[in-house]
């Protein structure tokens, strides 16, 4: 066997380390996945408001200065999608991807819409930059516009394939990306979900799961009142 190949396992040899910020939806989705898979991890908070992502320690982990970062033994993974794919392949319990190719493709489409067409356009850095250049309120308006656009696409993608969750009646990777994004959209960006009944149903199903509740921003050790 190639010594560089990692064996599939259900338990990490060393405790996983997650560098996370309580309010980051990208970190939230990784926390959700870790709890769904029953994987214990050490939580290391990164205070983005204080610039801790620019510290020498964190720069060595991720020179892009984004959270989350997962450390699994000697492997450092710096993107939430890459982290989830690693967890799915190395720790296959409570699988987040179906075997059916069509359903898997729909999962990946939903994941891509959230991670490429919504979340990067509504980060705090983007919102604040637009506020500085275009005036008060413009950043929020920008974020709301792109969230709604993405939600319209997601609603259309999932309305005929969803059950309790995004792809039927079991939790999949699409739900792991969707639920934190919907939560942030409602609570932070005040998105009216009336036009998105499928997404609302998915969120309502996820929010009662113990794994989701454990991953909530307000339940993290670095959470602050806002």
């Amino acid at each position: 066997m190639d010594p560089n190949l990692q064996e599939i396992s259900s338990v990490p040899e060393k405790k996983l380390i997650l560098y996370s910020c309580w309010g980051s939806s990208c970190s939230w989705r990784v926390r959700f996945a870790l709890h769904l898979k029953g994987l214990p991890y050490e939580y290391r908070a990164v205070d983005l408001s204080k610039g801790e992502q620019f510290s020498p320690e964190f720069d060595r982990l991720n020179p892009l200065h984004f959270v989350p970062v997962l450390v699994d033994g000697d492997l450092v993974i710096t993107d939430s999608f890459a982290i989830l794919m690693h967890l799915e392949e190395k720790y296959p319990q409570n699988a987040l991807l179906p075997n059916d190719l069509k359903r898997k493709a729909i999962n990946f489409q939903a994941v891509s819409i959230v991670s490429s067409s919504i979340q990067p356009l509504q980060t705090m850095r983007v919102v604040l930059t637009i506020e500085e250049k275009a005036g008060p309120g413009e950043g929020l308006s920008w974020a709301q516009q792109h969230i709604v656009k993405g939600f319209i696409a997601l609603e259309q993608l999932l309305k005929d394939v969803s059950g309790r969750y995004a792809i039927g009646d079991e939790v999949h990777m699409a739900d792991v990306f969707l639920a934190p994004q919907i939560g942030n959209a409602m609570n932070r960006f005040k998105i009216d979900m009336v036009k998105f009944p499928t997404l609302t149903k998915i969120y309502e199903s996820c929010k009662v799961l113990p794994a989701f509740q454990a991953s909530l921003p307000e339940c993290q050790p670095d959470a602050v009142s806002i």
Side-chain angles (χ1 to χ4, degrees), residues 60-215:
R60 287 190 292 270
L61 294 170
N62 186 5
L64 288 174
H65 309 125
F66 295 148
V67 290
V69 172
L70 184 78
V71 179
D72 185 359
D74 60 358
L75 178 63
V76 177
I77 315 172
T78 62
D79 175 84
S80 63
F81 180 61
I83 291 170
L84 263 66
M85 289 302 296
H86 169 74
L87 295 176
E88 185 70 357
E89 293 184 4
K90 187 174 180 182
Y91 308 107
Q93 68 268 27
N94 301 326
L96 296 176
L97 288 172
N99 291 323
D100 179 78
L101 292 179
K102 179 180 178 180
R103 287 155 55 87
K104 186 179 291 187
I106 295 172
N107 264 277
F108 285 143
Q109 288 179 77
V111 165
S112 180
I113 291 171
V114 172
S115 63
S116 299
S117 299
I118 301 178
Q119 193 275 331
L121 299 173
Q122 48 107 90
T123 64
M124 185 59 66
R125 183 176 64 174
V126 170
V127 170
L128 291 176
T129 298
I130 293 174
E131 296 272 327
E132 291 173 1
K133 294 182 179 298
E138 294 301 318
L140 177 61
S141 178
W142 164 276
Q144 290 171 333
Q145 173 187 344
H146 289 284
I147 293 169
V148 169
K149 181 179 180 181
F151 279 8
I152 290 172
L154 286 164
E155 187 76 18
Q156 181 174 328
L157 174 68
L158 301 174
K159 64 181 181 179
D160 295 328
V161 298
S162 66
R164 291 170 56 203
Y165 303 103
I167 317 293
D169 292 327
E170 296 181 357
V171 179
H172 289 108
M173 192 175 293
D175 303 288
V176 172
F177 275 72
L178 284 166
Q181 179 61 62
I182 296 168
N184 266 7
M186 292 190 299
N187 299 323
R188 178 178 163 195
F189 295 104
K190 311 305 178 187
I191 298 296
D192 184 354
M193 296 298 294
V194 171
K195 295 181 179 179
F196 309 112
T198 303
L199 299 185
T200 300
K201 174 187 63 178
I202 292 166
Y203 182 75
E204 291 298 317
S205 296
C206 286
K207 78 175 189 179
V208 300
L209 296 172
F212 186 72
Q213 294 171 358
S215 71

